[in-house]
Amino acid sequence: RRGPLDEDPFGPLGIRVGSFILKPSIEIVGGYDSNVTRTPERQGSWLTTVLPELQFKSDWTRHELSGTLRGAYTWYEQLPSFNKPLIDARVNGRVDITSQTRADLEGRYQLLADSPGDPNTPGDTARPPIYQIFGGTAGLTQRFNRLEVTGKGSVDRLQYFNATLDTGGTLDLSDRNYNQYGVAGRVGYELHPGVKPFVEGGFDRRLYDDAAYTIPNRNSDG
């Protein structure tokens, strides 16, 4: 009798810790960027990037908890003021309420830096501004034989840290902070195992914190 097919037969086996399987890794990249500042003056530099990562997944008979934690830091040898961090973390949970009903949850966090040369970045900043995005999604899925219906809602927050100026002072960038709220619905039909066409629609609203920043109005609906 054949066992179940392995979805990734050449992938890492991972490290078992209790009822979880962990897959850690680290990557180191080196190279040269001929225009770090992304400006017509073209300032180049050698760079080194270190990228650690941890994937984890539960091995439970019911429910599931999984996630990916990624980080990175880039060092520029000739232009250290452009060194930048990156964090990308996601945790997903599935709760099997019944054999036909499940709840899906996701929490996420990102730490990012503005791209050099971004026209939204003030020209007197000493280095690209740092910002973070965090939020979550909750959804409920119900199966009716081959028909599957899903509804979900999400909340996300974008928040800038103060920027460092060439003069050594700081610049408040809180006028760029906003919250985003969304809802979505999805209907799919399983024609064949592994083949499930679907239709999905959603609505979201982006609201900036600073009322003065909404003149002209930059709030939006999608």
Side-chain angles (χ1 to χ4, degrees):
R1 182 177 180 182
R2 295 183 178 181
L5 293 176
D6 190 342
E7 296 180 358
D8 188 8
F10 299 101
L13 298 177
I15 303 169
R16 181 172 289 277
V17 178
S19 58
F20 284 87
I21 298 175
L22 310 182
K23 295 181 179 180
S25 66
I26 186 167
E27 184 177 1
I28 300 175
V29 179
Y32 183 81
D33 190 330
S34 63
N35 189 3
V36 176
T37 60
R38 305 294 186 265
T39 59
E41 290 74 18
R42 297 181 64 85
Q43 300 180 61
S45 174
W46 291 98
L47 63 91
T48 302
T49 303
V50 178
L51 305 99
E53 178 179 307
L54 174 64
Q55 298 180 30
F56 65 90
K57 186 176 182 180
S58 64
D59 191 22
W60 305 331
T61 55
R62 287 190 62 199
H63 317 304
E64 182 179 276
L65 182 65
S66 62
T68 302
L69 311 177
R70 294 190 181 97
Y73 196 88
T74 301
W75 289 268
Y76 292 99
E77 186 175 335
Q78 284 76 32
L79 297 168
S81 62
F82 284 85
N83 294 351
K84 59 183 179 182
L86 182 146
I87 298 175
D88 186 359
R90 290 178 182 271
V91 177
N92 296 91
R94 189 195 74 232
V95 180
D96 299 321
I97 301 172
T98 69
S99 61
Q100 301 294 315
T101 308
R102 75 172 190 269
D104 294 292
L105 306 170
E106 179 182 87
R108 49 189 173 267
Y109 177 85
Q110 289 182 297
L111 181 71
L112 304 162
D114 272 350
S115 298
D118 187 327
N120 292 316
T121 302
D124 55 349
T125 54
R127 57 180 60 88
I130 304 294
Y131 63 97
Q132 60 183 354
I133 304 173
F134 52 91
T137 299
L140 187 67
T141 298
Q142 178 67 49
R143 288 182 60 90
F144 303 94
N145 197 2
R146 294 189 175 187
L147 182 68
E148 187 174 270
V149 180
T150 300
K152 58 185 177 181
S154 63
V155 178
D156 288 282
R157 168 78 174 169
L158 183 144
Q159 187 174 39
Y160 270 86
F161 296 94
N162 291 343
T164 303
L165 300 175
D166 294 328
T167 58
T170 59
L171 176 65
D172 184 3
L173 296 178
S174 61
D175 57 353
R176 300 174 68 178
N177 299 343
Y178 64 80
N179 295 320
Q180 183 165 305
Y181 308 92
V183 293
R186 172 170 170 161
V187 178
Y189 188 83
E190 186 177 38
L191 297 177
H192 188 272
V195 180
K196 187 187 297 181
F198 66 89
V199 176
E200 180 171 334
F203 171 81
D204 66 74
R205 170 164 291 179
R206 181 175 296 181
L207 299 174
Y208 282 85
D209 292 358
D210 193 340
Y213 196 53
T214 62
I215 304 174
N217 191 341
R218 296 195 67 185
N219 294 337
S220 63
D221 298 321

